[in-house]
Amino acid sequence: MSTPIRDEVNAANTAYAADFGDKGRLALPPVRGFAILTCMDARLDPARYAGLAEGDAHVIRNAGGRASDDAIRSLVISHKLLGTREWFVIHHTDCGMELFDGPTISTLLETSRATASFDGKVWTNTQDEGGSKEGWHTAWLTFTDLAQSVRDDVQRIRSHPLTPDAIPVHGFIYDVKTGRLIPVD
Amino acid sequence: MSTPIRDEVNAANTAYAADFGDKGRLALPPVRGFAILTCMDARLDPARYAGLAEGDAHVIRNAGGRASDDAIRSLVISHKLLGTREWFVIHHTDCGMELFDGPTISTLLETSRATASFDGKVWTNTQDEGGSKEGWHTAWLTFTDLAQSVRDDVQRIRSHPLTPDAIPVHGFIYDVKTGRLIPVD
C-alpha cells in the first residue's frame, strides 16, 4: 500500500544505501559488546545520544524502556548468542508511561473494546501493574516515579535467572530537554 | 559501577548534549505520526536507514523485530495515546533469530539453567514457537523463513483487536549488505 510516509521512508533509504560505504562488511555480533534498553519515544535517538555507529551495540526499545519479558528475551539472546557483556537501562523525562496512568489509558481505550481477547490472553484497559502474574503481560507498564522505574527494571533484569551475575546493568535517565544522561543509583 | 564502556557512553553523550540545539522544544507525540518495529541488531540504525530526525517517529526494537505482545503493547500506546497512524515492520537479512534455531539456543543456554522459573512463568531452552499459548512469551521467536516472518508479524499486528483497521502496516526486509529496504508483500 503506497502512502506519502512510505514514499518518504523509501526515498530516505535510497539516499542512505547510496552512501553505505563498507558497512556491508560488519559481522553479526556487536563490535563494542554492549546493549541498551530504552524507550520508543520519538525524541530519543540512542545511536546519537550514546555515540553508536552501525555495528556497535544492540538497541532494544519499547514503550517506557521497560524490562518486560520480551526485553529480557532480547537481552538474554544479546548476551548468550551474540556476546554482549554490559547492559544499559535508559528511561527518560516527560515519558508517556509516566504521564498516562491506568485510568487515563482506560478512558482513551474506551473507543476500542474495553477488554480484548487475543491469542488466549485478555488485554484489559485497566492497569494491572502490581497485580497478578497474568497481568504483567497485558499491563501497560506505566509508572509514577521515574527514578524508581529505572531501579525496578535494573533489579528485574539482575534478578532474572538467565542474567549472569558478572554483567553490569547501568541505570540512567535521559533528559529530553537537554539531551543529557543522568545516572540512577 | 564505572566501566570503560560506561565512560565512553558518557563522553559521547556529553558531546551530543553540548550540541543539542533546539531539540529540547520537541513535544511528546511523534511529529511525522508513524512507528517502526525492527530488530535490535547492532548493524541497523533505523533513524539513519529510514531518515528519522529526533522527534519524528516511534522506534520499537527487540530480538528479530518480532510482533511480540510487548511490541503490540507499544504499538497500541503509540497509536491510542500518541497518535501514530501508520506502522512499519522491518526484519533483516543475516538475523540471529534466523541463524540460531531452537536446538542451537538450547545448546548455548545449557551452561545456564536448562529451565528457569521466573515471575511465575517457565523460561525454557527449547523453542516453542508454534506450540501452546503459554509458549509465546517464553519462546525465543526464532524463524526459518525471513519473508514469511515479516508476513506473519504484519498479520499478527493487523489481526489484534486493538489495532484499528485503518492503520497501514508495511512489511520490509533490511539488507545488511547494502543498507536497502526491500518490500515484503
Side-chain angles (χ1 to χ4, degrees):
Chain A
M1 179 183 181
S2 179
T3 70
I5 288 288
R6 182 178 171 133
D7 291 345
E8 288 170 21
V9 166
N10 275 325
N13 178 252
T14 299
Y16 177 72
D19 192 26
F20 200 58
D22 60 359
K23 290 193 277 288
R25 289 187 216 154
L26 288 166
L28 180 57
V31 172
R32 293 171 62 199
F34 67 98
I36 292 176
L37 167 61
T38 195
C39 185
M40 70 177 180
D41 190 284
R43 294 164 295 181
L44 274 57
D45 186 334
R48 292 186 181 120
Y49 78 53
L52 310 180
E54 288 93 332
D56 277 356
H58 284 142
V59 180
I60 300 154
R61 301 179 69 173
N62 63 33
R66 304 306 312 265
S68 62
D69 284 357
D70 193 52
I72 293 177
R73 171 184 73 87
S74 301
L75 287 169
V76 168
I77 288 165
S78 174
H79 169 70
K80 295 283 183 191
L81 305 189
L82 295 164
T84 65
R85 46 193 185 276
E86 191 157 347
W87 298 340
F88 294 75
V89 174
I90 306 179
H91 296 180
H92 66 96
T93 59
D94 196 41
C95 183
M97 302 317 290
E98 187 177 10
L99 299 172
F100 300 115
D101 58 4
T104 307
I105 291 178
S106 179
T107 303
L108 284 162
L109 287 178
E110 262 173 25
T111 49
S112 307
R113 301 182 207 185
T115 300
S117 178
F118 181 65
D119 212 12
K121 291 184 298 290
V122 173
W123 292 60
T124 64
N125 285 354
T126 53
Q127 189 179 20
D128 188 18
E129 199 86 48
S132 67
K133 310 298 186 194
E134 287 297 308
W136 176 259
H137 293 294
T138 52
W140 298 100
L141 305 185
T142 59
F143 53 83
T144 53
D145 181 325
L146 175 56
Q148 191 58 40
S149 76
V150 175
R151 282 184 212 107
D152 288 347
D153 283 357
V154 166
Q155 179 55 28
R156 189 167 201 267
I157 291 165
R158 282 200 175 123
S159 67
H160 195 282
L162 291 175
T163 300
D165 292 338
I167 289 198
V169 185
H170 308 290
F172 282 90
I173 290 167
Y174 175 85
D175 183 339
V176 297
K177 294 294 179 205
T178 65
R180 295 184 62 181
L181 290 173
I182 302 153
V184 176
D185 296 318
Chain B
M1 180 181 179
S2 179
T3 70
I5 288 288
R6 182 178 170 132
D7 292 345
E8 287 169 21
V9 166
N10 275 324
N13 178 252
T14 299
Y16 177 72
D19 193 26
F20 200 58
D22 60 358
K23 290 193 277 289
R25 288 188 217 154
L26 287 165
L28 181 57
V31 173
R32 292 171 63 199
F34 67 98
I36 292 176
L37 168 60
T38 194
C39 185
M40 69 177 181
D41 190 285
R43 294 164 294 181
L44 275 57
D45 186 335
R48 292 187 181 118
Y49 77 53
L52 310 180
E54 288 92 332
D56 277 357
H58 285 142
V59 180
I60 300 154
R61 302 179 67 174
N62 63 32
R66 304 308 311 267
S68 62
D69 284 357
D70 193 52
I72 293 176
R73 171 184 73 87
S74 301
L75 288 168
V76 169
I77 288 166
S78 174
H79 169 70
K80 294 283 183 189
L81 305 189
L82 295 163
T84 65
R85 47 195 184 273
E86 190 157 346
W87 297 340
F88 293 76
V89 174
I90 306 179
H91 295 180
H92 66 96
T93 59
D94 196 39
C95 183
M97 303 317 291
E98 186 176 9
L99 298 171
F100 300 114
D101 59 4
T104 306
I105 291 179
S106 180
T107 303
L108 284 163
L109 286 179
E110 263 174 23
T111 50
S112 308
R113 303 181 205 185
T115 300
S117 177
F118 182 65
D119 212 13
K121 293 184 296 290
V122 173
W123 293 61
T124 63
N125 285 353
T126 52
Q127 190 180 20
D128 187 19
E129 200 87 49
S132 67
K133 310 297 185 192
E134 287 298 308
W136 176 261
H137 293 292
T138 53
W140 299 100
L141 306 184
T142 58
F143 53 83
T144 54
D145 181 324
L146 176 56
Q148 191 58 41
S149 75
V150 174
R151 282 184 213 107
D152 288 347
D153 283 357
V154 166
Q155 178 55 30
R156 188 166 202 267
I157 291 165
R158 282 200 175 124
S159 67
H160 195 282
L162 291 176
T163 300
D165 291 341
I167 289 198
V169 185
H170 309 290
F172 282 91
I173 290 167
Y174 175 85
D175 182 339
V176 297
K177 294 295 180 205
T178 65
R180 295 185 62 180
L181 290 174
I182 303 153
V184 176
D185 296 317

